[in-house]
Amino acid sequence: SSDPDPLQDFCVADLTASPSVNGFPCKAASAVTAHDFSSAALSGKGNTSNAFGSKVTAANVLAFPALNTLGVSMNRVDLAEGGLNPPHTHPRASELDIVLKGKVLIGFITTGNVYYSKVLTRGELFVIPRGLVHFQRNVGKGDALIITSFNSQLPGAAVLPTTLFSAKP
Amino acid sequence: SSDPDPLQDFCVADLTASPSVNGFPCKAASAVTAHDFSSAALSGKGNTSNAFGSKVTAANVLAFPALNTLGVSMNRVDLAEGGLNPPHTHPRASELDIVLKGKVLIGFITTGNVYYSKVLTRGELFVIPRGLVHFQRNVGKGDALIITSFNSQLPGAAVLPTTLFSAKP
Amino acid sequence: SSDPDPLQDFCVADLTASPSVNGFPCKAASAVTAHDFSSAALSGKGNTSNAFGSKVTAANVLAFPALNTLGVSMNRVDLAEGGLNPPHTHPRASELDIVLKGKVLIGFITTGNVYYSKVLTRGELFVIPRGLVHFQRNVGKGDALIITSFNSQLPGAAVLPTTLFSAKP
Amino acid sequence: SSDPDPLQDFCVADLTASPSVNGFPCKAASAVTAHDFSSAALSGKGNTSNAFGSKVTAANVLAFPALNTLGVSMNRVDLAEGGLNPPHTHPRASELDIVLKGKVLIGFITTGNVYYSKVLTRGELFVIPRGLVHFQRNVGKGDALIITSFNSQLPGAAVLPTTLFSAKP
Amino acid sequence: SSDPDPLQDFCVADLTASPSVNGFPCKAASAVTAHDFSSAALSGKGNTSNAFGSKVTAANVLAFPALNTLGVSMNRVDLAEGGLNPPHTHPRASELDIVLKGKVLIGFITTGNVYYSKVLTRGELFVIPRGLVHFQRNVGKGDALIITSFNSQLPGAAVLPTTLFSAKP
Amino acid sequence: SSDPDPLQDFCVADLTASPSVNGFPCKAASAVTAHDFSSAALSGKGNTSNAFGSKVTAANVLAFPALNTLGVSMNRVDLAEGGLNPPHTHPRASELDIVLKGKVLIGFITTGNVYYSKVLTRGELFVIPRGLVHFQRNVGKGDALIITSFNSQLPGAAVLPTTLFSAKP
């Protein structure tokens, strides 16, 4: 990944420290406990009652401050039957997905406009190269669940339908 | 940028060497001359007689092999009156633009869906953070010309209209 | 992470190409299909019938060649009741764990000899800073399963008991 | 380039924030406007009425704070007839030049003391590998103008005549 | 190495500035003198009167603040006759050793459990790949002295006997 | 340093493999022995019978192929009484020096033309930020010896007097 490497064992983010810097300043090491290194951010099922039938829940540095400087994060993607996580890119990370439930079509498009996709079932993996447009669609019966892992603590996401039609002027 | 740094003074790409590697293998140093380090790839005006009224001409490592391992490249963007370089992202680079001719609206959208844009004239600069969706539109009279520079020898481009509607299955 | 960034959309590893390089040479792009980007390496339960009652199954670049240049990988860690994934370090990556089944104690030791640990249950996350000694132990009833993700395509592992007592001279 | 990658969409430099850090702290995102992402730093012709008949005007992070964390910058090099931008190195960047006006001799010297040079005219490019000694000389009639782009927001410059003869003790 | 590259000529660490960041904030440039760039941290012989008959003295960023952002550091390893610098890893650096005095056995173990070792005498070098378990033992007559250099300003060390038996709970 | 990080435990350079790449291809792991990881390149005193009264002997990847991908190297600088290692820059590394013998003046010049220097004796350290012009001069009685370490396996050197007056056209 591209996140700059850590220069000490850890630097748990202090999300409100001033001034802000590239990434985040560190919470005082003396205030860090084992609880900082764990998170329940992905424990609950996301609410898929929306137009896309999908919900992305992020465990990035904003939700899990211990990820600061460590260059890793995870999302859970809940998909109702037929649900779609619409085309998007992550500006700062590659992505490795594991399907935990259901039958999911995952695809990406290269900068040369070649489309690669595959239907995956429980336990199968799919990798999306850094910065490429991709999506996930539930093509099976019932709910589906994917864990997506990233080589950045804050990969970001540019969701194409949102970006094209609803950006704030 | 994210391009891995050079491990020698230069490594002019041998675009056809086998096996291929991350980036490109190097042409034998003994075969390298001063001509390798220059390029006329951006000397000619791009043909803007198309639906978008725009043409991007690239001087990336594919067009200018000496850029290999050096982490820099440039494009020229020619825009007819009213022409648009449609929304796209560069998966592997930030971009710094200089307007050489005309009056151009340049804008980008953050991952939080905030839209920043500005009308620029000759000699003015605009920077587009890595991986974000952006576009350029000629909003003046007559042709416009922009030079865009990148901190990658092959930034790539995912053009949204193309990506959404015409990828090869 | 520290893996050098990709210089093209993808470079699926050709594990047997010669000469070898830092990472791996790329399979010809024309031979790459959607199947390359998926893997079933983690689909099956690992056999925990061994002295430690644990089994690590790796989906790194050696098992899943498309990860080459992309800087991500995953392992599954199966733990029988009471099983231990013994103390080890990953020389080239930070690690983010998600517990998929059971009750697991995860801990690491800093370079200043401070020990951080926590008992986790299904859906909970734990992060292990790059290069630090850590372990996972099943402290619940029945089997446990953890997915560990890394910001390197080949994080490596130095397993301390093995390293100290059984290295080949 | 070698600049550490951005860990958020942008971090416009606050040049006076305290304490200083590697690079610069970020201006509060709420205070950032579209104006921050543009700059007129290179709009005006540099004054070449000096011993070298040349003037370098920089649009680096000090002049254009939005470049902070983005790893790109540009200079304009104005050269009077016969003017010379004397031998110098950039400690932290490769450089890609485009000639916008005139006829210019550009050359660099490798660490093995091989000299590569070429005369360039309008629209032509020349690349200077990171850290190598190079110069630009106007060898045509009238003024010349070059835009130089870098893969660092603050490439720095060690100008050899200045360095050798006029450093402050 | 993996330390993020410097974004200015230097950033001498202010070890007590608040808030802390990845690495350290910079001392004001106006307060920096030539003395900051030198250190006597390794001038004195380490006291080897202990169970291992060895003493590591570090000139890392904590002892020599000018190393901040520069990605280099050194240790001296004093070994009494028969003394051992016990098995350890550096989570954030490769190591290059030069023997200045005595006869020393240096060895490391790969992640594939292959053991490489060699007896070295004055002036000889040995390199230890990043993150691998290694040790140094004095196998000659009298004292021995090794200088170890790193491509990180704070490589850290996980000492295995200490880690396994004496971490603070 | 900026050298891209290793993607496996080691990749001993095969200096003559074809095609060449950024850095070097790897010797087959099966052919690697413990001898590869050691070197006597710096064991002998350099011949200082020349105009400068100095001799730099390098243990970089060309002399010590195991350094490939590991991002570290060392030089020895022998200085006769009054000898000078003339002003030079290393385009790809910071440098950390330790004086092993004699009394030495070491200095560097920033990109802002500030000069920092200090006289050092046995055991003292001096750090030279990446890419800056620096020199070493023996200002004591008798010979002097310095070990210089770098965070690159091939830092390169642009020696200013040589560069300015004797480059091959």
Side-chain angles (χ1 to χ4, degrees):
Chain A
S1 131
S2 62
D3 284 10
D5 279 323
L7 292 164
Q8 56 287 309
D9 285 357
F10 57 78
C11 164
V12 177
D14 180 341
L15 300 176
T16 61
S18 172
S20 64
V21 296
N22 192 23
F24 290 96
C26 318
K27 186 173 170 176
S30 57
V32 170
T33 72
H35 291 279
D36 285 291
F37 297 102
S38 70
S39 168
L42 303 189
S43 295
K45 184 174 177 302
N47 182 349
T48 60
S49 301
N50 54 51
F52 286 113
S54 72
K55 179 67 181 179
V56 176
T57 308
N60 57 28
V61 67
L62 299 172
F64 186 3
L67 301 184
N68 193 40
T69 75
L70 297 182
V72 287
S73 63
M74 265 187 191
N75 286 351
R76 69 176 287 160
V77 181
D78 286 282
L79 296 163
E81 193 169 313
L84 171 72
N85 184 15
H88 60 285
T89 71
H90 300 293
R92 293 181 293 274
S94 292
E95 172 181 331
L96 179 54
D97 293 4
I98 183 165
V99 174
L100 295 190
K101 187 178 178 185
K103 192 172 167 184
V104 182
L105 172 69
I106 307 186
F108 69 85
I109 301 170
T110 70
T111 58
N113 280 324
V114 181
Y115 171 58
Y116 292 99
S117 71
K118 195 150 186 297
V119 173
L120 304 165
T121 55
R122 182 185 170 82
E124 293 184 318
L125 305 171
F126 197 81
V127 65
I128 292 144
R130 178 184 196 147
L132 299 190
V133 176
H134 61 287
F135 70 92
Q136 293 108 343
R137 182 183 284 279
N138 183 346
V139 294
K141 299 289 184 190
D143 292 347
L145 173 60
I146 307 165
I147 294 292
T148 63
S149 65
F150 303 93
N151 56 356
S152 170
Q153 61 249 23
L154 191 61
V159 182
L160 302 201
T162 311
T163 295
L164 289 176
F165 303 123
S166 65
K168 281 169 269 175
Chain B
S1 131
S2 62
D3 284 9
D5 279 323
L7 292 163
Q8 56 288 308
D9 285 357
F10 57 77
C11 163
V12 177
D14 178 341
L15 299 176
T16 60
S18 172
S20 64
V21 296
N22 192 25
F24 290 96
C26 318
K27 185 172 170 176
S30 56
V32 170
T33 72
H35 292 279
D36 284 291
F37 298 102
S38 71
S39 167
L42 303 190
S43 295
K45 185 173 177 302
N47 182 351
T48 59
S49 301
N50 54 50
F52 286 113
S54 72
K55 178 66 181 180
V56 176
T57 307
N60 58 28
V61 68
L62 298 172
F64 186 3
L67 301 183
N68 194 40
T69 76
L70 298 182
V72 286
S73 62
M74 265 186 190
N75 286 351
R76 69 177 286 158
V77 181
D78 286 283
L79 295 163
E81 193 170 313
L84 171 71
N85 184 15
H88 61 284
T89 71
H90 300 292
R92 292 181 293 274
S94 292
E95 172 180 331
L96 180 53
D97 293 5
I98 183 165
V99 175
L100 295 190
K101 185 180 181 186
K103 191 172 168 185
V104 182
L105 170 69
I106 307 185
F108 68 84
I109 302 168
T110 70
T111 59
N113 279 324
V114 180
Y115 170 60
Y116 293 100
S117 69
K118 196 150 186 298
V119 174
L120 305 165
T121 56
R122 183 184 171 83
E124 292 183 319
L125 305 171
F126 197 80
V127 66
I128 292 145
R130 179 180 192 151
L132 298 190
V133 176
H134 61 287
F135 69 92
Q136 291 108 343
R137 182 185 283 280
N138 182 347
V139 294
K141 299 287 184 192
D143 292 346
L145 173 60
I146 308 165
I147 294 291
T148 63
S149 66
F150 303 93
N151 56 356
S152 169
Q153 60 249 24
L154 190 61
V159 182
L160 302 201
T162 311
T163 295
L164 288 176
F165 303 124
S166 66
K168 281 168 268 173
Chain C
S1 131
S2 62
D3 284 9
D5 279 324
L7 292 164
Q8 55 288 309
D9 286 357
F10 57 79
C11 164
V12 177
D14 179 341
L15 300 176
T16 60
S18 172
S20 64
V21 295
N22 192 23
F24 290 96
C26 317
K27 184 173 170 176
S30 57
V32 170
T33 72
H35 291 279
D36 285 290
F37 298 102
S38 71
S39 167
L42 303 189
S43 296
K45 186 174 176 301
N47 182 351
T48 60
S49 301
N50 54 51
F52 285 114
S54 72
K55 178 66 182 179
V56 175
T57 307
N60 58 27
V61 68
L62 299 172
F64 187 3
L67 300 183
N68 193 41
T69 75
L70 298 182
V72 287
S73 62
M74 265 186 190
N75 287 352
R76 69 176 286 159
V77 181
D78 286 282
L79 295 163
E81 194 169 312
L84 171 71
N85 184 16
H88 61 284
T89 71
H90 299 292
R92 293 181 293 274
S94 292
E95 172 181 332
L96 179 53
D97 293 4
I98 183 165
V99 174
L100 295 190
K101 186 178 180 186
K103 192 173 167 185
V104 182
L105 170 70
I106 307 185
F108 69 84
I109 301 169
T110 70
T111 58
N113 280 323
V114 180
Y115 171 59
Y116 292 100
S117 70
K118 195 149 187 297
V119 173
L120 304 165
T121 56
R122 181 185 172 84
E124 292 184 318
L125 305 171
F126 197 82
V127 65
I128 292 143
R130 178 181 192 149
L132 299 190
V133 176
H134 62 286
F135 69 91
Q136 292 108 343
R137 183 184 283 279
N138 182 348
V139 294
K141 299 288 184 190
D143 293 346
L145 173 60
I146 307 166
I147 294 292
T148 63
S149 65
F150 303 93
N151 56 356
S152 169
Q153 59 249 23
L154 190 62
V159 183
L160 302 201
T162 310
T163 295
L164 288 175
F165 303 123
S166 65
K168 281 169 267 176
Chain D
S1 132
S2 63
D3 284 9
D5 279 323
L7 292 164
Q8 56 287 309
D9 286 357
F10 57 77
C11 163
V12 177
D14 179 342
L15 299 176
T16 61
S18 171
S20 64
V21 296
N22 193 23
F24 291 96
C26 318
K27 186 174 171 175
S30 58
V32 170
T33 72
H35 292 278
D36 286 290
F37 298 103
S38 70
S39 167
L42 303 189
S43 295
K45 185 173 177 304
N47 182 351
T48 58
S49 301
N50 54 51
F52 287 113
S54 71
K55 178 66 179 179
V56 176
T57 307
N60 57 27
V61 67
L62 298 172
F64 187 2
L67 301 183
N68 194 40
T69 76
L70 298 182
V72 285
S73 63
M74 264 185 190
N75 286 352
R76 70 176 286 158
V77 181
D78 286 282
L79 296 162
E81 192 170 313
L84 170 71
N85 184 14
H88 60 284
T89 71
H90 300 291
R92 293 182 292 275
S94 292
E95 172 180 331
L96 179 53
D97 293 4
I98 183 164
V99 174
L100 295 189
K101 186 178 180 187
K103 191 173 168 186
V104 182
L105 170 69
I106 308 186
F108 68 86
I109 300 169
T110 69
T111 59
N113 279 324
V114 179
Y115 170 59
Y116 293 100
S117 70
K118 195 152 187 296
V119 173
L120 304 165
T121 55
R122 183 185 171 81
E124 293 184 318
L125 305 172
F126 197 80
V127 65
I128 293 144
R130 179 184 193 148
L132 298 190
V133 175
H134 61 286
F135 69 91
Q136 291 109 344
R137 182 184 283 279
N138 182 347
V139 294
K141 300 286 184 191
D143 293 346
L145 173 60
I146 308 165
I147 294 291
T148 64
S149 64
F150 302 94
N151 56 356
S152 170
Q153 60 248 22
L154 191 60
V159 182
L160 301 201
T162 311
T163 295
L164 289 176
F165 303 123
S166 66
K168 283 168 268 177
Chain E
S1 133
S2 63
D3 283 10
D5 279 323
L7 293 164
Q8 56 288 310
D9 285 357
F10 56 79
C11 164
V12 177
D14 179 341
L15 300 176
T16 60
S18 171
S20 64
V21 296
N22 192 24
F24 291 95
C26 319
K27 185 173 171 175
S30 57
V32 170
T33 72
H35 292 278
D36 284 291
F37 298 103
S38 70
S39 168
L42 303 190
S43 295
K45 186 174 176 303
N47 182 350
T48 59
S49 302
N50 54 50
F52 286 113
S54 71
K55 179 66 181 179
V56 176
T57 307
N60 57 29
V61 67
L62 299 172
F64 185 3
L67 301 183
N68 193 40
T69 75
L70 298 182
V72 286
S73 62
M74 266 187 189
N75 286 351
R76 69 176 286 158
V77 181
D78 286 282
L79 296 162
E81 193 169 313
L84 171 72
N85 184 13
H88 61 284
T89 71
H90 300 292
R92 292 182 292 274
S94 292
E95 172 181 331
L96 179 53
D97 293 5
I98 183 165
V99 174
L100 295 190
K101 186 179 181 187
K103 191 173 167 184
V104 181
L105 171 69
I106 307 185
F108 69 83
I109 301 169
T110 70
T111 58
N113 280 324
V114 180
Y115 170 59
Y116 293 99
S117 70
K118 195 149 186 300
V119 174
L120 304 166
T121 56
R122 183 185 171 81
E124 293 184 319
L125 305 171
F126 197 81
V127 65
I128 292 144
R130 177 183 196 147
L132 299 190
V133 176
H134 61 287
F135 69 92
Q136 292 108 344
R137 182 184 282 280
N138 182 347
V139 294
K141 300 287 185 192
D143 292 346
L145 173 60
I146 308 165
I147 294 291
T148 63
S149 65
F150 303 93
N151 56 356
S152 170
Q153 60 248 24
L154 190 62
V159 183
L160 302 202
T162 311
T163 295
L164 289 176
F165 303 124
S166 66
K168 282 169 266 177
Chain F
S1 130
S2 63
D3 284 9
D5 280 322
L7 292 164
Q8 56 287 309
D9 286 357
F10 56 78
C11 164
V12 177
D14 180 341
L15 299 176
T16 60
S18 170
S20 64
V21 296
N22 192 24
F24 291 95
C26 319
K27 185 174 171 175
S30 57
V32 171
T33 72
H35 292 279
D36 285 291
F37 297 102
S38 70
S39 168
L42 303 190
S43 295
K45 186 172 175 305
N47 182 350
T48 59
S49 302
N50 53 51
F52 286 113
S54 72
K55 177 69 180 177
V56 176
T57 308
N60 58 27
V61 67
L62 298 172
F64 186 2
L67 301 183
N68 193 40
T69 76
L70 297 182
V72 286
S73 62
M74 265 185 190
N75 286 351
R76 70 176 286 158
V77 181
D78 286 283
L79 296 163
E81 194 170 312
L84 171 72
N85 184 14
H88 60 285
T89 72
H90 300 292
R92 293 181 292 274
S94 291
E95 172 180 331
L96 179 52
D97 293 4
I98 183 165
V99 174
L100 295 189
K101 187 179 180 185
K103 192 171 166 185
V104 181
L105 171 70
I106 308 185
F108 68 84
I109 301 169
T110 69
T111 58
N113 279 325
V114 180
Y115 170 59
Y116 292 100
S117 70
K118 196 151 186 295
V119 173
L120 305 165
T121 55
R122 182 184 171 81
E124 293 184 319
L125 305 171
F126 197 81
V127 65
I128 293 144
R130 176 183 195 147
L132 299 190
V133 176
H134 61 286
F135 69 91
Q136 291 109 343
R137 182 184 283 278
N138 183 347
V139 294
K141 300 285 185 193
D143 293 346
L145 172 60
I146 307 165
I147 294 291
T148 64
S149 64
F150 303 93
N151 56 356
S152 170
Q153 61 249 23
L154 190 62
V159 182
L160 302 201
T162 311
T163 295
L164 289 176
F165 302 124
S166 66
K168 282 169 268 175

